[in-house]
Amino acid sequence: MSRFGGKPPMGRDRVRLSTTEKQAAVAAAKDQKPEFDNDKLLNLLRSAKSELQGMRLIHMHLSLLRDKDPSSQMIVRTIIQELASKASYLQSFNISNGDVIILYKGLKLTGVTDVCQKVEQIFLAKTTLIGANPYKEFSLYSIMELALNFINVIRFIEELQANETGDHSNETKPPITLEEMAKLERSMQMFDLSPFLFNQAIANIGRNAEEDMAYFELYISIKLLQERLCPDYDITANKWLFNYFTANLDQSVLRALNHGLSFMRGRRIGININLSTVISTGFVKFDERLPLDFRGQVVLEISKGDLIENLSLFNEVVEFAQDRRYQIAVDGLNPFWVTNFDLEYLNADYAKIFWSNDMLEMDPTFEKYFMERIQEQDRCKFILARCDSVSSLVYANKVGITMVQGRAVDNILRKGVSVREAIAHAKVA
């Protein structure tokens, strides 16, 4: 029997207690800390490492809720039970910082995502998140392949064991309010965004690539923009207001690009954009004014979260993009999503995976499957983004990813060196 099946608790001998003893036991129980499952989860993971294949993990980041609810862990576990009858295995763990971690097998990703979104909507209807979760996402939940994130989860629990504060007192700015967002929106309509508009190269490292650069991603530095226009508030803290902000930011970027793309002449460009923006009148104006030599040279980068939440709209955007000769990049993926998304079916031209050092510790069986999925995609090209070290570039080359982006790429290009040559030299060294 699988170790994940668990064992029933040991039986107890019946002992008669006097009334005084019962009262003392109740009083002692009230003084004790709540029981958490940190040790239970750690022991389970350590004892069953060889059985992780096919196991997935849901991490509910309840500790990031601004207004804590003592019953939140129970609420989550009750809702998650909707999945239990359909799963071949499902077990929930209350973590000492207030989070809930669920291990499961045998469930479709769409069904799991629906339930997680339901949980998120319930909590975020009452309060907000105080910041990004440990995986750099502004989401109450994360869904992961356990084989890929095994070390990550172990470290997370061990750090909690070593430091049981669960304290988020390092937050320095309050989340932006509706009133402040309205002020920011008015400011952006009159503000020159050009000093905050940057471009970053996506370099080709494949042997058969005709050009050294695939395209250049244009982006606004939200951090710098916040410091300039809204220094007293955290724009990213409230997920819904942040989405609203990025939609307005899209329109500002389109207006800036309408004034001229001469600074990017001769280069293919990528634009981070919300799905809702692509069907807006602002984008129609941008499309009408797009110089002829840029037609077919623009990539629309759509975030994974936007795609999941608005799949039908994504399909509409793909049809529009094909008609108007734009290409589509799905942004913000990790190996788990690569193995669960059919990117060919989604008609994506590019898929951008965010680099993490944990990819170096990937389970060999899962890594093989990950590499096979990359090779299976005939039309969709993969980009390893946020590469901050030479080891990340070497890893991209190893698994068959033919494009790279990040600080490590920028540093190499500043020296006038080919990224391909730098990787080849690193492999030899």
Side-chain angles (χ1 to χ4, degrees):
M1 186 175 73
S2 169
R3 294 186 186 122
F4 281 95
K7 295 181 180 180
M10 297 290 289
R12 295 181 180 174
D13 295 331
R14 293 189 177 183
V15 179
R16 292 183 179 277
L17 298 175
S18 68
T19 302
T20 304
E21 289 173 326
K22 288 179 181 177
Q23 290 174 343
V26 170
K30 288 181 179 179
D31 293 334
Q32 290 177 347
K33 292 182 179 180
E35 290 188 9
F36 296 110
D37 302 321
N38 299 32
D39 289 332
K40 183 179 178 182
L41 178 57
L42 271 178
N43 293 336
L44 182 61
L45 293 174
R46 288 167 176 164
S47 65
K49 186 175 180 180
S50 62
E51 300 182 28
L52 297 182
Q53 194 59 35
M55 187 73 66
R56 290 176 181 168
L57 175 147
I58 304 168
H59 190 162
M60 287 289 177
H61 309 284
L62 305 179
S63 59
L64 295 181
L65 293 172
R66 183 168 302 281
D67 301 314
K68 302 295 189 296
D69 183 345
S71 63
S72 58
Q73 288 181 320
M74 182 60 70
I75 293 171
V76 169
R77 294 181 73 154
T78 300
I79 297 174
I80 289 295
Q81 285 306 309
E82 294 180 20
L83 300 169
S85 60
K86 303 173 185 177
S88 58
Y89 167 82
L90 188 144
Q91 190 168 2
S92 301
F93 303 86
N94 284 353
I95 307 305
S96 57
N97 72 336
D99 290 356
V100 175
I101 289 179
I102 301 104
L103 301 181
Y104 73 90
K105 272 187 179 181
L107 290 172
K108 290 185 178 180
L109 181 62
T110 52
V112 174
T113 303
D114 288 344
V115 172
C116 289
Q117 287 179 346
K118 177 180 178 181
V119 173
E120 184 176 59
Q121 289 168 1
I122 288 173
F123 284 104
L124 296 190
K126 301 176 183 177
T127 185
T128 59
L129 299 176
I130 63 173
N133 63 41
Y135 314 106
K136 312 300 183 191
E137 300 169 332
F138 290 92
S139 173
L140 185 64
Y141 68 90
S142 300
I143 306 172
M144 300 175 286
E145 192 81 37
L146 186 57
L148 173 63
N149 291 276
F150 176 77
I151 301 297
N152 224 16
V153 178
I154 291 282
R155 286 175 181 166
F156 172 75
I157 302 298
E158 287 177 340
E159 286 174 6
L160 284 179
Q161 300 289 70
N163 181 12
E164 287 290 347
T165 60
D167 185 19
H168 292 277
S169 59
N170 58 346
E171 182 196 2
T172 58
K173 297 179 181 179
I176 193 167
T177 62
L178 279 170
E179 292 77 11
E180 290 298 324
M181 181 60 75
K183 293 178 185 177
L184 178 59
E185 184 179 5
R186 288 193 295 270
S187 298
M188 285 173 56
Q189 291 175 354
M190 301 176 287
F191 195 72
D192 179 15
L193 288 176
S194 56
F196 304 92
L197 186 62
F198 299 90
N199 69 81
Q200 189 174 49
I202 289 88
N204 281 315
I205 60 172
R207 293 179 181 176
N208 300 323
E210 296 178 358
E211 300 177 349
D212 288 337
M213 300 303 149
Y215 65 91
F216 288 78
E217 177 190 350
L218 299 180
Y219 68 95
I220 292 286
S221 172
I222 291 178
K223 181 180 179 181
L224 292 178
L225 192 62
Q226 176 176 282
E227 291 173 358
R228 175 65 177 83
L229 295 180
C230 193
D232 298 326
Y233 293 90
D234 184 355
I235 295 174
T236 63
N238 184 309
K239 177 183 177 182
W240 313 116
L241 285 180
F242 182 65
N243 288 344
Y244 178 77
F245 166 74
T246 56
N248 283 321
L249 185 61
D250 284 350
Q251 297 295 341
S252 297
V253 171
L254 292 177
R255 285 195 295 269
L257 295 179
N258 274 335
H259 292 302
L261 281 165
S262 58
F263 68 102
M264 295 299 293
R265 193 69 68 183
R267 297 174 173 178
R268 301 182 70 244
I269 63 172
I271 306 171
N272 284 287
I273 199 163
N274 289 351
L275 289 169
S276 58
T277 304
V278 182
I279 61 172
S280 69
T281 55
F283 192 85
V284 171
K285 291 179 181 178
F286 168 78
D287 180 69
E288 290 173 348
R289 297 177 182 177
L290 188 68
L292 187 61
D293 55 342
F294 274 97
R295 182 65 62 190
Q297 302 296 313
V298 179
V299 180
L300 305 179
E301 297 200 357
I302 309 297
S303 75
K304 173 253 302 177
D306 198 5
L307 187 159
I308 292 174
E309 293 176 9
N310 304 286
L311 185 56
S312 59
L313 182 56
F314 176 81
N315 292 330
E316 290 181 32
V317 167
V318 167
E319 289 184 17
F320 170 80
Q322 291 174 340
D323 182 56
R324 302 298 294 165
R325 295 176 59 201
Y326 293 99
Q327 292 184 301
I328 298 289
V330 178
D331 196 6
L333 300 177
N334 61 26
F336 168 75
W337 290 104
V338 170
T339 57
N340 282 278
F341 267 166
D342 188 338
L343 294 156
E344 297 277 311
Y345 176 78
L346 290 171
N347 287 304
D349 300 284
Y350 299 93
K352 190 176 284 190
I353 305 167
F354 287 170
W355 164 255
S356 166
N357 286 323
D358 295 323
M359 293 169 71
L360 296 172
E361 300 174 354
M362 203 183 303
D363 175 80
T365 304
F366 180 80
E367 184 177 58
K368 182 175 180 293
Y369 180 47
F370 171 56
M371 294 170 64
E372 288 172 351
R373 290 290 289 166
I374 290 173
Q375 299 305 320
E376 286 170 2
Q377 305 290 331
D378 294 326
R379 191 172 66 84
C380 183
K381 303 178 183 70
F382 287 89
I383 303 164
L384 189 62
R386 297 186 179 178
C387 293
D388 56 4
S389 62
V390 174
S391 61
S392 60
L393 304 180
V394 172
Y395 184 84
N397 184 264
K398 168 191 168 185
V399 299
I401 295 175
T402 58
M403 301 178 192
V404 289
Q405 178 188 25
R407 289 198 301 270
V409 176
D410 297 340
N411 293 336
I412 291 169
L413 294 176
R414 284 193 197 101
K415 297 174 183 177
V417 180
S418 161
V419 179
R420 288 194 197 92
E421 291 176 6
I423 293 173
H425 178 75
K427 288 166 65 179
V428 171

